[in-house]
Structures are given as C-alpha cells and as structure tokens.
Amino acid sequence: MPHFDLFFKTEELRRRLEPHLKLIPPYFEFTVRTGTPEVRYFDQKDPMWKGFPFPVPDGTVYVFDDAIPARALGGGMQNRASVRVTRQDTDDEALILRIWHEILHAVGQPADDLVKRAGEWQSLSDRVMWAAWQSLSRPIDVPFWHRKFYSWLTERAASGAGGR
C-alpha cells in the first residue's frame, strides 16, 4: 500500500480538505502535514508549468493555493504529486478527485484514460448508462464517472498492474 506525506500549504487548506480524504480508498495511506515540502519547478518557459511547484522527496504530495501563471492544475509521476487549488475551486469533492487523480499518476496509473479505457473499467450496466448519458449530451467529465474510473485504477494498482 502506497504511503504519502500529504502536505497542505496552509492550515486553511488542510482544514477544508482533510475531512474529505476518506473519499480516496484506504489503499493509499497518508501522513497529513501543513507546510511546504522541498520543491522544484518544471520548465519556466512552458506556460503549462510556469511557477508550478513539484515535490522533490519521494512519496510526497503537495496541495497549494498559490496564484501562479501555470495553466496546469496538477501533476503526478515517480511517486510524487502536486495539486493546485484556485479561487474558482469551490467543490471540495472535485478537489479530492484531483488529488486522487494525481496520486494515481504518481503510482504509474493512466488516470487520463477515462474514455480510452472505458471498455476495460465499465460493467455492462455502466456501458448502457454511459451510452444513454452521452445520447443526452451530458458531459462525461463529472465526479460520477471519475469515481468509478479511479476506483478501477486503484484496484488495478493494488493488483500490481501498472504502467500506461
């Protein structure tokens, strides 16, 4: 079971989000801290990552709310992840899903492949509902589908299946 030191930059972020961490399956374990871990920055010329802090220590997740020029809201790889909270982020469940998403990347899971891998993670009833959902022009980028997909990816990680 992967264990992460989960840093919330501020006590306010921690108070807001820590109670919702139970939405992430217990396969992932956390030691919750307040503060900033050692970070590094990606290519400062790339507008996607300009000013985006990424933790250096192995097994670290950093949740921050800095107003930075980067377009990215999160990143995860090599047993590390970073998640940005903006002023527009008012849905705490969506933020926890963002944390879960990046942690899945950190452990080598293809968290961006919700649609590409739909045939692998959906049950027959999910496929019927998915088709109906799309026929009604409903967006699929919603917590309902993300929870199902991330649960499947977590089970996949627990079984030792990894990679992209």
Side-chain angles (χ1 to χ4, degrees):
M1 291 175 39
H3 180 273
F4 290 96
D5 286 324
L6 174 57
F7 285 84
F8 290 101
K9 180 173 183 180
T10 65
E11 190 60 37
E12 180 183 341
L13 275 176
R14 182 177 179 167
R15 278 193 309 270
R16 175 181 171 189
L17 296 174
E18 185 176 16
H20 303 289
L21 287 174
K22 63 185 176 290
L23 294 171
I24 300 174
Y27 171 72
F28 296 106
E29 296 177 339
F30 302 104
T31 298
V32 179
R33 305 176 188 281
T34 303
T36 303
E38 179 186 358
V39 297
R40 66 182 174 93
Y41 297 88
F42 293 119
D43 182 359
Q44 293 302 291
K45 293 181 181 97
D46 183 345
M48 180 63 88
W49 299 107
K50 187 175 176 85
F52 194 94
F54 196 77
V56 172
D58 187 56
T60 301
V61 176
Y62 181 43
V63 179
F64 66 96
D65 59 356
D66 300 345
I68 58 173
R71 291 193 312 255
L73 294 175
M77 63 182 174
Q78 300 172 343
N79 210 37
R80 297 165 184 82
S82 208
V83 174
R84 178 179 172 195
V85 177
T86 69
R87 276 186 268 189
Q88 293 80 22
D89 289 321
T90 57
D91 182 343
D92 293 347
E93 179 185 3
L95 289 170
I96 295 300
L97 288 171
R98 188 180 300 160
I99 293 168
W100 191 3
H101 177 99
E102 299 307 340
I103 289 169
L104 286 164
H105 278 308
V107 298
Q109 294 299 315
D112 294 330
D113 292 351
L114 176 116
V115 174
K116 179 179 173 184
R117 293 182 178 259
E120 296 175 59
W121 62 268
Q122 292 178 338
S123 67
L124 182 56
S125 61
D126 285 338
R127 286 186 195 129
V128 170
M129 192 168 24
W130 178 271
W133 195 284
Q134 290 181 306
S135 74
L136 296 171
S137 299
R138 299 279 188 203
I140 55 172
D141 190 21
V142 295
F144 176 80
W145 293 115
H146 285 278
R147 278 192 308 270
K148 285 180 169 284
F149 180 54
Y150 297 165
S151 293
W152 177 78
L153 285 176
T154 301
E155 291 172 14
R156 187 174 183 266
S159 75
R164 305 192 178 262

